[in-house]
Amino acid sequence: PSSDCVVAEQLCLSDSTCNATYRTLENCVLAKTRLLSLDDDSRVRCLNAELDLGNSSLLHCRCHRRMKRQEHCLRVFWTVHSSMTDGEMNLETSPYENPANEEHWKTDYNKLAALVSGKNCSQLAGDATNPCLRATHVCNLSKKCFRLRTDYASICTKGAGSEDVCDRRKCHRGLRNFFEKVPEDFTKRILFCPCQDEFCGERRRKTIVPECSFQYNTKPNCLWLLDSCLEDRICKSRLADFQQNCQPVDMSPDGCSLHNHAACLQAYMGMIGTPMTPNYVSNSSVEVSLWCTCENSGNQKEKCDQILGMFESNKCL
């Protein structure tokens, strides 16, 4: 069985029985998306179609975070796993394959800079007191990192300081491009640079141009943010990945159910550039949050607090 949902879909469509079952499921998902009420016969037909795919490679397929046809792949995954998201926050399983292990995240700064451009290493010496500025200089040594960082910075600052509002959707797309296409050796250092002073912390907090990508004029309710996320296939997928890899456990020594902080940080990075984009709350701490509030949540206050708590008080993260 193929682990790639795009390939698994092609295999299914070449088999007449699997093809018919898959088409039925697609119609079921379409009806759910359009909020159409299904009669009892249709519900049974949808349930049977999902059960019939139990022996198909589609059931176990996953997507790659940096694959070219990622949105197509995610559409296939959520078609097969559509019953997981009946308006619930717990999405049960990530559509992405298991992330790399911790070792992938351990790269020496100076070695990295030397690999990119030995002749420019001397310019990093003056940035010892500001790791975030240093991380930016390392990024600038890579044409790809520099270009994609410049792209999103340009898009996300349009309208800043005037009556115009920025194009948040384009800003988010630019951020996702940066974090998906630039090697993590660069991106994680820009986002997670360690700071000792507020000047460095402010640079870290502004990495994602929060005035456009993160903040609204007023804080929306976190439940509204969640609804916006679940309507967006990429955001829903990144949230499922975040929930799986950043699941906190009080009894665990490291506070993490999967004991893999690298996977959690990777999942956190995946949330940036979605409707549920998180960020640092200030320039003097490493605390992060969503830009939302749980005031006026009525009888859904507990659910709202749970959403906010995934970022604000998550020991694993």
Side-chain angles (χ1 to χ4, degrees):
S2 172
S3 60
D4 183 329
C5 289
V6 176
V7 177
E9 181 192 42
Q10 291 171 347
L11 289 172
C12 176
L13 297 181
S14 65
D15 176 88
S16 58
T17 304
C18 188
N19 189 329
T21 305
Y22 184 66
R23 296 304 184 193
T24 299
L25 262 187
E26 281 188 316
N27 291 331
C28 297
V29 173
L30 188 62
K32 187 184 291 188
T33 304
R34 294 176 177 174
L35 302 178
L36 301 175
S37 57
L38 298 173
D39 56 36
D40 289 340
D41 287 344
S42 297
R43 275 200 208 93
V44 171
R45 195 158 54 247
C46 291
L47 183 61
N48 286 338
E50 197 164 325
L51 292 172
D52 287 344
L53 281 180
N55 294 324
S56 163
S57 58
L58 279 167
L59 192 65
H60 304 291
C61 73
R62 291 292 184 273
C63 302
H64 307 288
R65 288 169 183 79
R66 294 172 177 244
M67 67 190 296
K68 288 183 178 179
R69 301 178 70 187
Q70 184 179 166
E71 289 195 52
H72 181 165
C73 186
L74 294 174
R75 178 181 61 77
V76 175
F77 178 89
W78 290 117
T79 296
V80 179
H81 297 274
S82 58
S83 64
M84 288 185 182
T85 53
D86 281 330
E88 292 299 319
M89 191 181 83
N90 294 316
L91 303 177
E92 294 188 30
T93 187
S94 170
Y96 295 106
E97 85 287 359
N98 291 331
N101 61 27
E102 295 270 1
E103 290 303 314
H104 180 66
W105 285 65
K106 296 174 181 174
T107 307
D108 181 77
Y109 241 133
N110 291 321
K111 281 184 183 176
L112 175 64
L115 281 172
V116 178
S117 177
K119 64 180 184 292
N120 289 322
C121 278
S122 58
Q123 79 180 73
L124 301 175
D127 306 325
T129 57
N130 191 337
C132 291
L133 186 60
R134 188 182 186 199
T136 302
H137 284 169
V138 171
C139 172
N140 290 345
L141 297 178
S142 159
K143 287 182 181 178
K144 191 172 194 177
C145 188
F146 175 74
R147 175 173 58 81
L148 290 174
R149 182 175 167 273
T150 303
D151 284 352
Y152 85 72
S154 172
I155 296 167
C156 298
T157 50
K158 283 180 181 175
S162 68
E163 293 182 2
D164 299 328
V165 292
C166 73
D167 191 326
R168 181 172 280 110
R169 189 179 291 270
K170 283 187 178 178
C171 175
H172 281 169
R173 193 184 308 131
L175 278 167
R176 290 201 309 271
N177 261 343
F178 177 74
F179 285 106
E180 284 178 21
K181 294 180 179 178
V182 174
E184 288 173 357
D185 285 328
F186 296 104
T187 57
K188 67 176 184 278
R189 281 175 170 74
I190 288 179
L191 193 63
F192 302 127
C193 41
C195 288
Q196 300 297 322
D197 59 65
E198 292 194 6
F199 179 72
C200 176
E202 180 70 357
R203 188 176 186 92
R204 180 174 60 192
R205 192 182 67 82
K206 289 194 170 181
T207 293
I208 65 168
V209 196
E211 291 79 4
C212 183
S213 69
F214 177 67
Q215 296 170 203
Y216 294 79
N217 290 331
T218 56
K219 283 189 176 182
N221 188 280
C222 298
L223 295 169
W224 178 82
L225 268 194
L226 176 65
D227 288 342
S228 300
C229 184
L230 294 179
E231 290 172 6
D232 180 298
R233 195 175 288 127
I234 285 183
C235 187
K236 178 170 67 173
S237 301
R238 303 297 172 82
L239 180 60
D241 195 50
F242 180 78
Q243 285 185 317
Q244 176 176 297
N245 289 297
C246 295
Q247 190 65 43
V249 178
D250 290 334
M251 301 299 290
S252 174
D254 65 355
C256 224
S257 64
L258 296 182
H259 311 294
N260 191 341
H261 289 283
C264 179
L265 291 179
Q266 188 180 47
Y268 173 86
M269 284 168 61
M271 294 300 300
I272 295 172
T274 71
M276 284 183 74
T277 293
N279 195 26
Y280 296 98
V281 296
S282 74
N283 56 12
S284 58
S285 78
V286 290
E287 291 178 25
V288 297
S289 181
L290 298 172
W291 183 263
C292 64
T293 177
C294 284
E295 292 179 13
N296 305 315
S297 295
N299 60 2
Q300 290 191 295
K301 176 75 163 54
E302 187 177 340
K303 181 180 179 182
C304 186
D305 287 338
Q306 189 182 354
I307 298 164
L308 198 53
M310 283 195 301
F311 295 88
E312 285 190 345
S313 55
N314 187 329
K315 289 182 180 179
C316 182
L317 179 63

